[in-house]
Amino acid sequence: MLLNDLALFVRVADCGSISAAAAEMDLSAASASAAIKRLEKQLDTSLFVRTTRSLRLTAQGERYLIHCRRALSDLALGEQAIASDKGKVSGTLSLSVSSDFGRNLFVPWLDDFLLDFPQLQVRLHLGDNVSSFYHDKIDVAVRYGKPQDSNQVAFPICTADRVLCASPEYLAKFGKPETLEQLTQHNCLFYKLDERTHDQWQFERDGQEYKIRVTGNRSANDAEIARRWAVAGKGLVFKSSLDLAEDIMAGRLVPLLPEYRGEPVNLYLVCPGREHVTPVVLLLREMLRQQTQTLSRALATYLKAETQFNSH
């Protein structure tokens, strides 16, 4: 049984098309079709149900796919372990990262990471909608919130509270809200993920939780746009302190109602399964933990200094 045939079988299953999988693997459609038939002959079973318009896995194919994925992942893990033992990290890593965190923080961190591991290649997918690990060929994702799928492996990176902010220009024009109730009198900026608009903001003070439904004239399916609108003076934004930290420390955004703690959000590094936890993934996890900790400390130091300055 040829290893390339197994890899082709997995790609055909993911693509739902022999020709599409063949194109990805730089094969002719005829060669790919022959490889699938060869694999089916060796197994003495049909792996796909073929019609003129579609291609889908048989029950035997679905069961076999699970073992093929595991076998290919184990081989890749072995190769990574050998490379790691030799002091080298190589190969290709496909990463999915949320838009704002990805563009403004992760990309510069990744640049430094690749300087340490020049033989590593990365494919970066930016976007707020959760990518499909198998369909989009994602090896690891960096996401806010723990995944619901118990088969996925989620490494906690850090916890960052959401922070309520507005630009100095907006506050000069419309004033600062002094209470949570006054948020309903301001233009609030939203982002919409998975068909859910984040227009209910949650806070905590002295052990009591508060939920405020706010309104505004702008919403986007990209969370970075909400931040950009806030910096441009278009309204109030409520996002992770990681996403807003550099704007706050640069004076582009001003934190509001500091006596209230914003809803905490957890950042995770997620793999589709334990077999995907390679040495490079573990190195990436440690890099993310160090970088987010450094940024969080810098923001805390800045806010403390600002509080002391304003109290005098």
Side-chain angles (χ1 to χ4, degrees):
M1 190 172 294
L2 298 176
L3 182 60
N4 287 343
D5 290 354
L6 298 182
L8 175 64
F9 165 65
V10 171
R11 287 310 304 144
V12 171
D14 289 342
C15 295
S17 165
I18 290 179
S19 59
E24 286 190 8
M25 299 184 69
D26 198 23
L27 296 171
S28 69
S31 296
S33 181
I36 295 298
K37 289 178 181 178
R38 180 167 59 243
L39 186 58
E40 289 178 323
K41 184 177 180 181
Q42 289 174 319
L43 295 170
D44 193 25
T45 190
S46 295
L47 297 173
F48 295 98
V49 176
R50 300 164 174 84
T51 68
T52 55
R53 294 187 176 183
S54 66
L55 184 76
R56 62 180 175 83
L57 287 165
T58 62
Q60 293 88 347
E62 289 179 352
R63 289 196 293 270
Y64 190 60
L65 179 63
I66 295 172
H67 295 285
C68 280
R69 289 197 197 281
R70 186 175 299 133
L72 292 171
S73 295
D74 284 345
L75 287 172
L77 185 60
E79 291 173 1
Q80 287 279 6
I82 292 172
S84 181
D85 289 341
K86 293 179 178 179
K88 298 178 182 178
V89 173
S90 60
T92 301
L93 187 70
S94 183
L95 293 155
S96 174
V97 187
S98 58
S99 63
D100 204 350
F101 179 85
R103 289 186 181 95
N104 300 302
L105 295 176
F106 185 76
V107 167
W109 297 346
L110 181 62
D111 289 341
D112 292 338
F113 186 76
L114 290 175
L115 288 176
D116 292 332
F117 306 104
Q119 296 188 49
L120 179 66
Q121 299 178 18
V122 298
R123 295 198 307 266
L124 187 60
H125 302 251
L126 290 178
D128 289 320
N129 292 320
V130 178
S131 300
S132 166
F133 281 107
Y134 296 122
H135 184 269
D136 298 326
K137 297 187 289 184
I138 302 298
D139 298 315
V140 62
V142 183
R143 292 290 172 191
Y144 287 114
K146 191 171 184 178
Q148 300 299 314
D149 189 341
S150 60
N151 293 318
Q152 296 176 359
V153 180
F155 294 107
I157 300 300
C158 71
T159 298
D161 296 344
R162 297 191 194 276
V163 181
L164 179 68
C165 290
S167 72
E169 293 77 13
Y170 178 90
L171 298 175
K173 188 173 182 179
F174 298 101
K176 281 187 179 182
E178 300 295 337
T179 65
L180 289 181
E181 290 73 19
Q182 288 181 7
L183 296 184
T184 60
Q185 302 169 19
H186 286 266
N187 193 49
C188 297
L189 307 168
F190 310 131
Y191 49 95
K192 186 176 182 179
L193 301 179
D194 299 322
E195 302 304 316
R196 174 176 167 245
T197 301
H198 290 251
D199 59 354
Q200 181 172 272
W201 294 352
Q202 184 174 319
F203 300 84
E204 184 268 335
R205 183 179 183 182
D206 299 329
Q208 173 109 25
E209 288 190 355
Y210 302 87
K211 293 182 179 179
I212 304 295
R213 183 77 66 181
V214 292
T215 59
N217 68 349
R218 295 167 188 250
S219 176
N221 67 343
D222 186 325
E224 184 185 10
I225 300 303
R227 181 189 63 81
R228 289 189 180 189
W229 279 334
V231 171
K234 306 304 181 184
L236 276 58
V237 70
F238 188 53
K239 290 182 91 276
S240 161
S241 60
L242 291 177
D243 292 338
L244 303 183
E246 292 189 344
D247 290 318
I248 292 172
M249 291 187 289
R252 293 186 292 266
L253 290 176
V254 178
L256 305 172
L257 300 177
E259 63 272 22
Y260 290 91
R261 180 187 176 189
E263 176 186 9
V265 287
N266 298 309
L267 185 69
Y268 288 90
L269 184 71
V270 185
C271 292
R274 191 157 298 280
E275 65 274 13
H276 289 81
V277 182
T278 62
V280 69
V281 168
L282 297 178
L283 289 169
L284 191 64
R285 178 192 63 179
E286 294 312 306
M287 180 273 282
L288 281 167
R289 286 177 174 173
Q290 292 174 12
Q291 292 284 11
T292 55
Q293 185 179 72
T294 298
L295 181 62
S296 296
R297 285 177 176 171
L299 179 61
T301 300
Y302 173 85
L303 293 176
K304 182 178 180 180
E306 283 290 294
T307 300
Q308 292 175 343
F309 176 80
N310 292 330
S311 65
H312 288 83

